[in-house]
Amino acid sequence: MKLMKRILGTLLALAVIAVGALYWLGTRDDASTGAAAAPADPQQRLERGRYLALAGNCMACHTARGGQAYAGGTPIPTPFGTIYGPNITPDEKTGIGAWSADDFWQALHNGKSRDGTLLYPAFPYTEYTRVTRADADALFAYLRTITPVSQPSRAPDLDFPYDQRLLLAAWRALYFRPGVQEADPGQSTQWNRGRYLVEGLGHCAACHAPRNSLGATRAADGLAGGLIPMLDWYAPPLTNDPQAGLGRWSAEDIAALLRTGMAAHSSASGPMAEVVLGSTQHLTEEDALAMGVYLKSLPATPVASSRPAVPVSPAAMELGGKIYRQQCAQCHQPQGEGSAGAWPALAGNPTVTAPSPVNAIRIVLDGGFAPATAANPRPHGMPPFGQLLNDNDVAMLVSYIRNSWGNEAGGVTPLEVKRARAASTRN
């Protein structure tokens, strides 16, 4: 009996130590700040902050549709419930008007609010932690110039137990390592700038990296693509896999898509069209190209897919080809080569050849509309075919496109089309 009590006592002590260590790991702060290169001139600093707010696409989560800029209220659906973008105008009672630059840095770098509350990672501090203190201060200075809006931030609407913030300590201990990104001395200044934008302020991993059951991305997975939770859109891989990724693209192609919404191999659609519209079209040519240079340095690792391979019968290819010639070839051309500057190529298009066919299906159903950007103010659009084509027709058409002109992406089932059709009505 005494031995049993000792064993239980030891196990209890170890459990307490483990919980304490986990809590410490999940709540610790990082002291690194990065290079102190903020512009000395106040006006230049504000202009830099305005640029950083655009590059980070801050309005997407902090400005509700029809609402005032940065006043919050945007619903961010997650598998665990809905989180709402907070008010970050300089209103002292409901925004960040009472915050200091140190408080703002704490939120970006350590994922904590002004009072030390752990923030939910729907706010991508997992990527923003890489941002330098100088850039954080410039961004904060710009936000201080926004018109204050008295609008209380809405509390998260999360399922139990995800509404228990204390549990975030364990999540952070497992998946969050705060720290400013240090330059790689073995790479060029351009490459390092591109990595800083892709992995930090641009938070590309928030969409283009697969997530586990707890909503975390893993560095080992890289930018291997993944289904965006709750939106039913697939963010394609940004690796250099020639079929599913950017292997056929140049750095200039990537920069063109970011700044114009159009490139030789594809056009921005769905959530990416919104990113281009609200954020990346405002990048300088140098920054857009730097992102392209960095992405082109990623390995050409083949992208694994959990989706079972769907064979395509010769009959389906024949019928899909007939529909393509009737409905699509006039714009996308008989060999899927597209029309430069107007309609994107389908041959080698990562939207078409992605491991998941959901984007291609939804574009056929709902149409494709590239964003109107300063560099391409009147983009051509694609009409929806969801009313014209039934699920079998769409399945055969998309299967044909995914397996023609050098594409080798496998077939599509009518059931997948049915699910995509239902998802498009929800969203």
Side-chain angles (χ1 to χ4, degrees), residues 15-29 112 115-118 164-174 176:
V16 170
I17 292 172
V19 170
L22 201 65
Y23 183 80
W24 177 83
L25 285 171
T27 58
R28 72 198 185 288
D29 290 342
K112 295 180 181 180
D115 61 0
T117 300
L118 301 181
Q164 304 300 304
R165 284 187 185 265
L166 187 63
L167 296 179
L168 282 173
W171 188 94
R172 290 161 56 101
L174 294 171
F176 176 51

Side-chain angles (χ1 to χ4, degrees), residues 324-337:
Y324 178 83
R325 290 185 291 273
Q326 290 173 341
Q327 307 294 344
C328 314
Q330 183 176 357
C331 295
H332 292 288
Q333 303 303 304
Q335 297 304 311
E337 66 270 29

Side-chain angles (χ1 to χ4, degrees), residues 29-251:
D29 290 342
D30 177 77
S32 61
T33 60
D41 180 82
Q43 190 57 42
Q44 289 182 352
R45 193 183 198 191
L46 291 179
E47 182 58 28
R48 180 166 183 78
R50 184 194 68 81
Y51 178 75
L52 294 170
L54 290 169
N57 201 19
C58 301
M59 287 191 71
C61 291
H62 295 282
T63 304
R65 182 170 296 181
Q68 293 179 271
Y70 298 105
T74 305
I76 305 168
T78 78
F80 317 106
T82 302
I83 293 174
Y84 299 89
N87 182 347
I88 57 171
T89 71
D91 182 74
E92 291 205 1
K93 292 185 177 180
T94 64
I96 60 172
W99 287 37
S100 67
D102 287 342
D103 296 331
F104 189 74
W105 167 251
Q106 172 91 328
L108 261 65
H109 189 65
N110 288 309
K112 295 180 181 180
S113 189
R114 183 188 180 207
D115 61 0
T117 300
L118 301 181
L119 299 175
Y120 287 105
F123 173 62
Y125 59 81
T126 45
E127 284 74 45
Y128 286 168
T129 188
R130 297 177 174 88
V131 173
T132 65
R133 176 63 191 256
D135 277 353
D137 286 351
L139 179 56
F140 180 69
Y142 167 70
L143 291 174
R144 300 280 292 181
T145 69
I146 300 297
T147 302
V149 179
S150 179
Q151 178 172 295
S153 296
R154 185 170 174 179
D157 183 14
L158 297 173
D159 301 328
F160 182 83
Y162 307 109
D163 59 347
Q164 304 300 304
R165 284 187 185 265
L166 187 63
L167 296 179
L168 282 173
W171 188 94
R172 290 161 56 101
L174 294 171
Y175 304 118
F176 176 51
R177 295 292 182 273
V180 169
Q181 189 173 70
E182 299 294 337
D184 184 339
Q187 297 288 349
S188 67
T189 300
Q190 184 183 46
W191 184 94
N192 276 295
R193 176 63 176 172
R195 183 178 68 151
Y196 177 73
L197 291 168
V198 168
E199 296 187 357
L201 202 62
H203 59 284
C204 301
C207 291
H208 291 276
R211 293 182 180 272
N212 63 21
S213 59
L214 292 177
T217 60
R218 296 177 300 182
D221 292 327
L223 298 172
L227 195 66
I228 303 175
M230 313 308 291
L231 295 184
D232 295 300
W233 279 89
Y234 182 81
L238 300 182
T239 65
N240 279 283
D241 177 74
Q243 273 291 328
L246 300 174
R248 305 185 193 185
W249 293 50
S250 66

Side-chain angles (χ1 to χ4, degrees), residues 65 77 228 230-233 362 366 420-427:
R65 182 170 296 181
I228 303 175
M230 313 308 291
L231 295 184
D232 295 300
W233 279 89
R362 291 191 65 170
D366 303 327
R421 197 186 289 271
S424 68
T425 60
R426 290 197 304 271
N427 298 326

Side-chain angles (χ1 to χ4, degrees), residues 380-397:
H380 292 272
M382 172 181 156
F385 289 87
Q387 298 298 318
L388 180 64
L389 303 176
N390 62 35
D391 292 351
N392 287 329
D393 292 336
V394 174
M396 288 187 290
L397 172 60

